[in-house]
Amino acid sequence: MWLRRRWPVGFTAVAVAFSVYSMSAAGVALIALFTVAAHRRAAVAGPIVAGCVLVPFLTPLVRPDVPVPPWWEVLLGFACIAAVLAWGMFVRARRQSLRERARRVESERELRLAQVRQSERDRIAREMHDVLAHRLSLLSLHAGALELRPDAAPEEVARAVGVIRDSAYRALEDLREVIGMLRVGLDRSDEGPERPQPTLADLPDLVDESRRAGMRVLLDCRVGEPAAAPAAIGRGAYRIVQEGLTNARKHGRDGQVSVAAGGAAGEGLTVEVRNPIGATAVAGIPIGATAVAGIPGGGSGLIGLAERAGLAGGRLEYGPTAAGEFRLWAWLPWPR
């Protein structure tokens, strides 16, 4: 009987053949038939079942001394064969269903894992663009201004060089922060605490930084308690204004930008950045469109902001207006 799992079809055929001569082999043949039905296709089990059905008719030919069984006994034997066959096919179907379910669960788990990884990569890419594009655009514009106007006044040159140095330093700090996001799960006990993330209360500092870089920025912040805004909402608003100022430096005219933020808990937070479209000036040095055209930008920042706003449950709009301005507007939910 232990051999039936290794060679189910051959063992069952031998058991059925023996059951023609000996009734004691009939029980073994039924158990072997169940094994075949549970582990093989119906096309393989069919000939075995046919052999089992022929056993009562072949026995009198091989054993004339055995009396012919009554019809009800033959029908009972057929019923037992059918029951064993059905039971084995049910077990096989259930095992296949469980294996298919396990494969489906594993496939769904791998799909969810791939989606989580892709989402994490997208989040890191957005974060890297947000924190670096702002600093590097400052550095590139001021370097371009010095290249195009080497005869500028010493105080203007010193001011531009100071902005370049400060932007490079802050860009390295921001890059270190983003790279630190990739070290999840590593032992970082020897490192200091992470830098605090920007919030809505940091908007004035962001505007002052752009003003020191030579931009004319008007800030209208009508948020009652900026520090009370949720961290995710405040950070999203900060990144929107940051991207708006970055785009204004690349494509704005005269470095003039207007920033407006307003809202309260239960009403939502509205952020708007407007700037004229045209040439610009850096640290008092007019540089025209040449240096601006050298700064790469494919609109990925605005796409990332739209994704960020959508993930937060808000919406974002951007584009030129009839007044010759570029308008970046966003609404973010602010629960009570």
Side-chain angles (χ1 to χ4, degrees):
M1 288 297 295
W2 293 108
L3 299 177
R4 76 186 194 280
R5 295 182 180 273
R6 181 174 298 180
W7 301 293
V9 178
F11 180 87
T12 306
V14 173
V16 171
F18 270 93
S19 65
V20 175
Y21 183 82
S22 173
M23 291 295 297
S24 61
V28 177
L30 287 178
I31 297 176
L33 176 62
F34 169 80
T35 304
V36 171
H39 295 86
R40 294 295 185 268
R41 296 177 291 108
V44 177
I48 303 296
V49 174
C52 293
V53 172
L54 293 177
V55 167
F57 304 101
L58 296 177
T59 299
L61 300 178
V62 178
R63 295 286 302 275
D65 57 318
V66 177
V68 177
W71 63 268
W72 60 267
E73 188 175 337
V74 175
L75 291 179
L76 180 61
F78 290 165
C80 292
I81 294 174
V84 170
L85 178 64
W87 186 19
M89 295 178 65
F90 170 77
V91 171
R92 183 173 185 272
R94 180 173 177 80
R95 288 175 179 174
Q96 288 182 338
S97 175
L98 293 176
R99 284 195 296 266
E100 183 65 26
R101 184 181 304 175
R103 284 195 295 266
R104 186 167 59 250
V105 170
E106 181 66 18
S107 177
E108 292 176 354
R109 188 188 69 83
E110 293 179 356
L111 179 61
R112 286 195 300 268
L113 183 59
Q115 291 175 346
V116 169
R117 289 175 177 172
Q118 184 62 40
S119 176
E120 185 68 13
R121 281 194 287 265
D122 294 341
R123 184 180 69 87
I124 293 174
R126 286 196 302 267
E127 196 69 19
M128 182 169 289
H129 177 278
D130 291 342
V131 301
L132 292 182
H134 178 73
R135 310 294 183 191
L136 297 182
S137 64
L138 278 174
L139 191 152
S140 179
L141 279 175
H142 284 77
L146 292 178
E147 181 184 7
L148 294 176
R149 293 294 304 276
D151 56 341
E155 58 273 11
E156 294 177 349
V157 173
R159 181 179 177 183
V161 171
V163 173
I164 291 175
R165 185 191 68 245
D166 183 68
S167 298
Y169 174 78
R170 291 177 179 270
L172 290 175
E173 289 294 319
D174 291 335
L175 181 61
R176 178 177 178 272
E177 174 189 347
V178 174
I179 293 177
M181 297 169 58
L182 302 175
R183 297 176 178 173
V184 177
L186 298 180
D187 183 13
R188 304 179 62 188
S189 58
D190 56 339
E191 299 184 8
E194 293 185 358
R195 298 173 58 199
Q197 300 299 320
T199 63
L200 192 60
D202 296 319
L203 277 183
D205 295 336
L206 179 63
V207 171
D208 290 340
E209 179 186 10
S210 297
R211 287 171 178 169
R212 290 193 300 269
M215 298 180 66
R216 291 185 299 163
V217 185
L218 303 177
L219 176 61
D220 182 14
C221 187
R222 300 184 180 181
V223 181
E225 298 181 1
I233 302 302
R235 181 170 182 156
Y238 182 94
R239 295 305 186 195
I240 291 172
V241 174
Q242 188 179 57
E243 179 67 17
L245 294 176
T246 301
N247 291 336
R249 278 192 292 272
K250 293 180 180 179
H251 313 292
R253 175 166 51 85
D254 298 331
Q256 180 178 347
V257 188
S258 62
V259 179
E267 300 178 1
L269 180 65
T270 302
V271 179
E272 185 180 50
V273 181
R274 288 175 174 266
N275 64 273
I277 303 175
T280 187
V282 177
I285 307 176
I287 64 174
T290 304
V292 174
I295 301 178
S300 59
L302 294 175
I303 297 175
L305 290 181
E307 293 177 354
R308 184 190 293 270
L311 291 175
R315 58 185 183 275
L316 183 135
E317 301 174 0
Y318 56 87
T321 64
E325 296 180 326
F326 187 87
R327 174 176 177 265
L328 175 62
W329 178 90
W331 178 86
L332 302 174
W334 186 347
R336 293 184 181 275

